[in-house]
Amino acid sequence: RARRCYATSGAKIVLEMNLSNPQWFPDGRSLLIQPQWGRQAGKLAKVDVETGDVQLLLNGASPTHSSTWYNPGATLSPDGRMLYYTQKDRILRRELLGGEENELRALKMALGSNISLSPDGSRLAFRTRPDEKDQNIRILTTMPAAGGELSQVKTGDVFPKSMTAWSGDGKRIFFVALAKLGAGPGSNDDCDIWSVPAEGGEPVPLGIDLHTLIYFF
């Protein structure tokens, strides 16, 4: 969490931030920042890491019409042109410059707030909760980034609690889950980062032992 003052068009702008999934643009000079509080809450900003110049994106509007990006948390495409995010039971894609929004998929199951895109931009990974009566059963799921059928990624007896991310080669998916199997299902203590083949298989804990639940890598 931080409070920073940046220059934009000769004026000053205050960005109040949680650790809300900052991401590099392809140029390697700018970051996509998702402020959490203050006047920019729920907005998106492009920040030049060398000059501190700030550009509010989408005319400063929040694509989700909510006050914060913490939920859903936007994911930038590898070419820096698209945003992917979830909204209730929908998966959406939005042009960063033009603002055109398309629904990729509507689901009859609850979606986790985080969504991640494979390095080649071809597939999305996210969590789903197929059983509304048991909020603790969560399934690691993938689908084509252009829209299409869902694929369940089998993770054995390990249920993802938050956050997904792809390995650099796109062959594995990382997710946060309880470090100890059989621990209280509602507990956020003793979480670990797990790795599983993208097509499903035996999950492997990285042994980091976070002692808490994290929402963004």
Side-chain angles (χ1 to χ4, degrees), residues 16 37 40 45 47-48 66 68 81 88 94 101 113 118 127 133 148 155-156 161 166 182 200 202:
E16 298 188 61
W37 301 290
Q40 287 80 39
V47 178
D48 188 303
S66 65
T68 175
R81 298 179 179 180
K88 295 183 179 180
R94 190 180 181 107
E101 185 178 82
S113 60
S118 61
R127 295 172 294 113
K133 296 181 180 179
T155 58
K161 289 185 68 67
W166 294 76
E202 187 66 26

Side-chain angles (χ1 to χ4, degrees), residues 185-199:
S187 172
N188 288 338
D189 298 331
D190 296 321
C191 285
D192 203 340
I193 298 175
W194 296 70
S195 169
V196 68
E199 68 273 10

Side-chain angles (χ1 to χ4, degrees), residues 116-128:
S116 60
L117 188 62
S118 61
D120 63 1
S122 66
R123 295 193 70 80
L124 297 165
F126 46 90
R127 295 172 294 113
T128 56

